[in-house]
Amino acid sequence: MEITIMKPLGESGRKARAEEFGVRADSDCNGAAMRRAIQHCKNEGIGELLVQPGVYRFGAGQHPVFEELSDFRFDGGGAEFVFRSAEAFIAIRHCRRMEFRNLTVDWDWDLSPLASIGVVERVSEDTSWFELAFPEYESVPAGLDIRTLNPMNPRTLTPGCEWGREFGGNVLGEVLEVRGNIMRIALPDPVDFRFLNRGQAYIVRHYVYDAPAFELHENEHLKLEEVTVYGAPGHAFVATGGQHHWGLARCRLLKRPGTTRCISATADGCHISNSLG
């Protein structure tokens, strides 16, 4: 069955530019300015909001929220939005006949990595603890949270390997820094971890389901086009509520080119919690 997504109606040609409301590439936080621009479009019935090319940071939260907009377009102009707060990067809620396009979003890895490579250095004889080395760091960053460990091929550092097993959460006990880039992790139920051996490699996620890049809730006739997600502390795209007649066209989720990052989004690429089809 083919699903037809309606385009915005009643094109008036009225456009607003984000820079008119204080959105600037040299600002550390563009949240409040972007929200002013969106609210202006909603109040005045503006049909399109445009962003100039550039990198825009959202350091203090107040992430963009598009809510109850009808017959509206957002054109990112090839810009990039970089976020550092674990809340939905961009929320689109209760909108009708809306197009969202030409934008890249990313997480600020310099502030806090989403995941790291971990290599098993030692395992105690009774498997009550193991030591995990983080070869990317000289010393483990302060506050690094060990949430889950996902097995990697130790030779190619690609996901998955023979006898690989994901584990984390409450099966992990106390975590102590041993020296430099090595952490010792207690295992309260050691009998379950006899598979651990020196040299095994893991993607160690520091975030899992904390926040999506795009939160899509109860929209009708919504199209996202030419949108790229390089990193998010959760799902890339998540749809909830009675959303229907929507689609993703030429949208991408990938690790940022030119980096050694071991993950992009820390959860699903596209997660549909509820929908009307």
Side-chain angles (χ1 to χ4, degrees):
M1 181 178 68
E2 184 177 348
I3 296 176
T4 301
I5 302 173
M6 295 178 63
K7 293 180 175 293
L9 302 177
E11 298 184 48
S12 64
R14 299 179 66 198
K15 300 179 180 181
R17 300 186 180 277
E19 65 267 22
E20 298 171 356
F21 300 87
V23 176
R24 305 193 321 272
D26 61 354
S27 172
D28 187 59
C29 185
N30 286 285
M34 182 60 69
R35 287 193 174 190
R36 285 196 300 269
I38 296 168
Q39 189 62 43
H40 172 78
C41 292
K42 183 176 179 179
N43 292 345
E44 302 298 323
I46 303 296
E48 187 169 13
L49 177 60
L50 305 171
V51 178
Q52 289 186 330
V55 178
Y56 300 88
R57 299 189 176 275
F58 292 78
Q62 300 188 67
H63 296 173
V65 176
F66 298 84
E67 191 159 16
E68 296 182 346
L69 288 157
S70 296
D71 302 310
F72 180 76
R73 287 189 175 91
F74 174 85
D75 193 329
E80 179 177 340
F81 288 1
V82 179
F83 301 86
R84 63 176 62 162
S85 300
E87 59 185 276
F89 290 176
I90 295 173
I92 305 176
R93 306 171 185 152
H94 303 286
C95 292
R96 179 178 296 180
R97 295 183 300 275
M98 177 174 170
E99 293 180 350
F100 188 105
R101 60 196 180 197
N102 299 333
L103 186 72
T104 294
V105 300
D106 198 4
W107 173 260
D108 188 347
W109 277 70
D110 292 335
L111 178 73
S112 177
L114 295 175
S116 306
I117 295 172
V119 179
V120 177
E121 192 77 8
R122 291 177 61 198
V123 182
S124 67
E125 290 188 7
D126 60 357
T127 61
S128 62
W129 55 264
F130 70 105
E131 291 182 355
L132 195 65
F134 292 87
E136 296 170 280
Y137 314 119
E138 291 186 8
S139 59
V140 177
L144 199 71
D145 193 8
I146 297 177
R147 303 277 286 278
T148 69
L149 289 85
N150 299 84
M152 303 175 72
N153 184 306
R155 292 184 298 277
T156 62
L157 293 183
T158 53
C161 61
E162 189 175 9
W163 306 113
R165 176 178 167 184
E166 176 184 346
F167 62 99
N170 57 14
V171 304
L172 302 178
E174 185 179 19
V175 179
L176 300 173
E177 184 177 338
V178 177
R179 61 189 178 279
N181 64 351
I182 297 177
M183 308 286 283
R184 177 174 293 185
I185 303 170
L187 298 171
D189 298 309
V191 70
D192 292 335
F193 292 91
R194 293 174 181 167
F195 63 89
L196 281 174
N197 284 289
R198 187 176 187 276
Q200 289 175 339
Y202 291 88
I203 293 174
V204 184
R205 286 188 286 179
H206 313 309
Y207 298 83
V208 184
Y209 299 114
D210 296 72
F214 286 85
E215 174 196 307
L216 312 173
H217 181 70
E218 293 202 359
N219 302 288
E220 302 176 18
H221 297 278
L222 168 68
K223 186 176 184 180
L224 281 75
E225 186 173 7
E226 302 285 357
V227 172
T228 297
V229 178
Y230 283 147
H235 305 304
F237 303 92
V238 59
T240 60
Q243 180 158 293
H244 63 87
H245 289 81
W246 69 284
L248 308 175
R250 296 180 298 281
C251 294
R252 306 182 303 164
L253 169 65
L254 70 159
K255 293 183 287 187
R256 189 179 191 97
T259 70
T260 58
R261 297 179 182 181
C262 59
I263 207 165
S264 51
T266 61
D268 300 346
C270 183
H271 181 96
I272 301 176
S273 177
N274 292 293
S275 85
L276 295 178

